[in-house]
């Protein structure tokens, strides 16, 4: 319902069919210096469900007061609808957050796991080969993401480290071979000298 009361408390207009219940005029007065007042109005005879009456001043109370009444069941039904909507939105946002975090974790962890596996495959035989075996590393993320990442820099540094280890291993093998050759020459010289 809606009804308007003049500044002197007289009824100006209402939306009731079949007459205005006069007891509503005094059911929810607006205290001084309040911008609005909400009060529950209960039918003492139990014929109607509780109503929330909201009163607001018109032009600061100089033009009167407006009263709007809502059945509590309608308000509660609206609250339940909003509750479901909020819970649904929170569920959707949580779901989207989980999907986004899983995708992000895969983008970050997959290259790291691949780099870890490549590090585990590096062994002495690979380093001592005639030429360094290529280390199978993940593709650069800069190709897919458009930016060079820390994982890209780590993979590049890992490739350089494997190349340095391989070069050092080859140099060590060559030095060992020269030392063996020198020892054999020395042994032949000793045998020849008698």
């Amino acid at each position: 319902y809606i009804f308007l009361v003049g500044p002197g408390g007289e009824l100006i207009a209402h939306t009731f069919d079949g007459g205005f219940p006069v007891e509503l005029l005094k059911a929810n007065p607006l205290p001084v210096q309040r911008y609005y007042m909400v009060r529950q109005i209960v039918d003492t005879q139990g014929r109607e469900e509780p109503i929330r009456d909201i009163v607001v001043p018109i032009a600061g109370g100089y033009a009167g007061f407006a009263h709007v009444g809502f059945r509590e069941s309608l308000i509660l039904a609206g609250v339940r609808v909003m509750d479901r909507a909020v819970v649904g939105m929170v569920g959707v946002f949580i779901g989207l957050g989980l999907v986004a975090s899983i995708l992000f974790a895969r983008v970050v962890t997959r290259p790291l796991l691949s780099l870890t596996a490549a590090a585990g495959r590096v062994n002495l035989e690979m380093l001592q080969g005639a030429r360094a075996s290529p280390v199978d590393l993940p593709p650069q993320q800069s190709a897919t993401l458009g930016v060079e990442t820390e994982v890209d820099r780590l993979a590049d540094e890992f490739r350089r480290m494997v190349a340095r280890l391989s070069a050092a291993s080859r140099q060590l093998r060559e030095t060992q071979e020269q030392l063996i050759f020198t020892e054999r020459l020395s042994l032949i010289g000793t045998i020849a000298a008698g």
Side-chain angles (χ1 to χ4, degrees), residues 95-110:
L96 289 175
L98 285 172
V99 167
S101 64
I102 288 169
L103 290 174
F104 178 75
R106 285 184 184 249
V107 165
V108 171
T109 58
R110 183 174 289 150

Side-chain angles (χ1 to χ4, degrees), residues 140-186:
Q140 294 231 328
Q141 285 186 308
S142 58
T144 54
L145 299 178
V147 239
E148 184 180 38
T149 64
E150 289 83 5
V151 175
D152 291 335
R153 289 192 289 274
L154 183 61
D156 289 341
E157 192 58 39
F158 183 73
R159 285 182 186 96
R160 285 192 288 275
M161 179 194 70
V162 169
R164 285 192 307 267
L165 283 172
S166 184
S169 179
R170 277 193 307 275
Q171 186 176 11
L172 179 63
R173 191 181 62 236
E174 290 170 3
T175 304
Q176 285 175 336
E177 289 171 359
Q178 287 176 353
L179 184 60
I180 291 171
F181 182 71
T182 305
E183 283 182 17
R184 286 184 183 160
L185 283 179
S186 172

Side-chain angles (χ1 to χ4, degrees), residues 6-191:
E10 69 280 359
L11 180 66
I12 296 174
H14 65 82
T15 60
F16 286 94
D17 292 334
F20 179 78
V22 181
E23 59 271 7
L24 276 179
L25 284 174
K26 299 192 191 288
N28 189 14
L30 184 66
V32 179
Q33 297 189 354
R34 291 280 308 255
Y35 297 110
Y36 69 93
M37 180 74 171
V38 179
R39 179 168 289 160
Q40 182 184 41
I41 299 174
V42 179
D43 183 4
T44 55
Q45 296 174 357
R47 295 174 298 186
E48 300 265 340
E49 63 181 281
I51 294 174
R52 291 286 173 170
D53 185 81
I54 303 166
V55 60
V56 293
I58 302 171
Y62 294 109
F65 301 91
H67 288 257
V68 178
F70 296 99
R71 293 177 193 235
E72 280 195 358
S73 62
L74 295 175
I75 295 171
L76 294 176
V79 168
R80 281 191 292 274
V81 167
M82 289 304 296
D83 280 349
R84 286 186 201 113
V86 168
V87 167
M89 287 190 310
V90 166
V92 166
F93 289 136
I94 287 174
L96 289 175
L98 285 172
V99 167
S101 64
I102 288 169
L103 290 174
F104 178 75
R106 285 184 184 249
V107 165
V108 171
T109 58
R110 183 174 289 150
L112 289 174
L113 291 173
S114 181
L115 190 59
T116 302
R121 287 190 303 269
V122 173
N123 57 34
L124 191 56
E125 288 133 13
M126 184 188 100
L127 293 174
Q128 289 179 344
R131 63 180 185 84
S133 300
V135 180
D136 195 20
L137 291 178
Q140 294 231 328
Q141 285 186 308
S142 58
T144 54
L145 299 178
V147 239
E148 184 180 38
T149 64
E150 289 83 5
V151 175
D152 291 335
R153 289 192 289 274
L154 183 61
D156 289 341
E157 192 58 39
F158 183 73
R159 285 182 186 96
R160 285 192 288 275
M161 179 194 70
V162 169
R164 285 192 307 267
L165 283 172
S166 184
S169 179
R170 277 193 307 275
Q171 186 176 11
L172 179 63
R173 191 181 62 236
E174 290 170 3
T175 304
Q176 285 175 336
E177 289 171 359
Q178 287 176 353
L179 184 60
I180 291 171
F181 182 71
T182 305
E183 283 182 17
R184 286 184 183 160
L185 283 179
S186 172
L187 182 64
I188 291 173
T190 304
I191 291 175

